Amino acid sequence: MSARPAAGTGEDPGAAAARLTGRPVTRRRPLSATLTEVTLDGGRTVMVKRGDGPGAVRAEAAGLRWLAAADTVRVPAVHGHDRHWLVTGQVPVGRPSARAAARLGRDLAALHTAGAPAFGAPPPDGPTDAYIGLAPMRNVPGTDWPHWYAEHRVLPYLRRAVDDGTVGRGEAELIERACERLPELAGPAEPPARLHGDLWNGNVLWGTDGQTWLIDPAAHGGHRETDLAMLHLFGCPHLDRVLEGYQEVAPLAAGWADRVGLHQLFPLLVHTVLFGRGYAGQALTVARTALAR
């Protein structure tokens, strides 16, 4: 089956996989415009992903390796990459289970505890200018989470949403005021955690091996509650068991449930920039709730 060559590369996913792994390709199965399942000579199946944004592949490969280095959560192995192509292991997908969810919670707690040099620190060998999904994301280190989160995770996307006309200037003031109150609303100070960074349900794969695998990270140093808030925002099977497992290993600070919305401001505004007005309404609700506290 044919697949479109990546813009500017002159290669299709099969040719890229052969070059980066050093093995001939026997089968290709496109899954989307950017993702292809490729079978290599000898029977191994890999996933070949095209990333056209500057630094996108480098950021994802570095993130996967940084998460793997913690020896906690399971992530696909990186088999090769260059400027445009990323080749990783395939995860055969099964069904969610409560047992796997509890283990995910324990492993996620251990990942966060592995830490990061600073809030906003990129993975080793990862670029400052990275991505969360298709949106640019800058990894600029900081030492104070409330101020770093406002400056580098909330306000850049709010400004773009205003510039795009998706959020009105009066509405933006609500979110700006919520950011000003972050120092008093953020809860006890926490050390920088090693985050997956884009932990919505679509990036959680329930393997046929009974394990849970994480893909497509936007890894960086951040607040551990942000990863958990992402799971809440877009839903996750057996989320209660994930949280139970997490609390067994690294109990969350008192009041964490009241802070979920604050940690969701970042992904909500990213989605506002990428997908439009519907997510802006949710971000404004979070801001109003914070200001009412």
Side-chain angles (χ1 to χ4, degrees), residues 66 111-122 191-195 220-222:
W66 194 42
L111 171 71
H112 291 163
T113 303
F119 298 110
R194 189 172 306 194
L195 298 190
H220 62 279

Side-chain angles (χ1 to χ4, degrees), residues 10 29 66-67 99-101 111 123 154 158 172 180 199 233 243 246 253 270:
R29 185 167 74 96
W66 194 42
L67 299 184
R99 181 176 180 179
L111 171 71
V154 176
L158 179 63
E180 291 171 0
L199 198 59
L233 180 59
L243 294 171
Y246 192 101
V270 169

Side-chain angles (χ1 to χ4, degrees), residues 40-61:
L40 304 175
D41 184 42
R44 170 182 283 179
T45 300
V46 295
M47 307 304 293
V48 183
K49 183 176 181 180
R50 189 184 79 240
D52 292 333
V57 173
R58 178 185 166 198
E60 185 168 342

Side-chain angles (χ1 to χ4, degrees), residues 31 138 162 168 187 215 242 262:
L31 303 178
R138 298 207 77 218
V162 170
I215 62 170
V242 174
L262 293 173

Side-chain angles (χ1 to χ4, degrees), residues 5 19 22 26 33-35 73 81 83 131 135 153 167 183 192 201 220 226 243 259 271 278 287:
R19 175 173 55 82
T26 60
T34 59
L35 188 65
V73 296
H81 70 93
R83 182 180 175 186
Y131 287 83
R153 288 296 180 265
V167 173
N201 183 49
H220 62 279
T226 303
L243 294 171
R259 296 188 290 272
H271 278 68

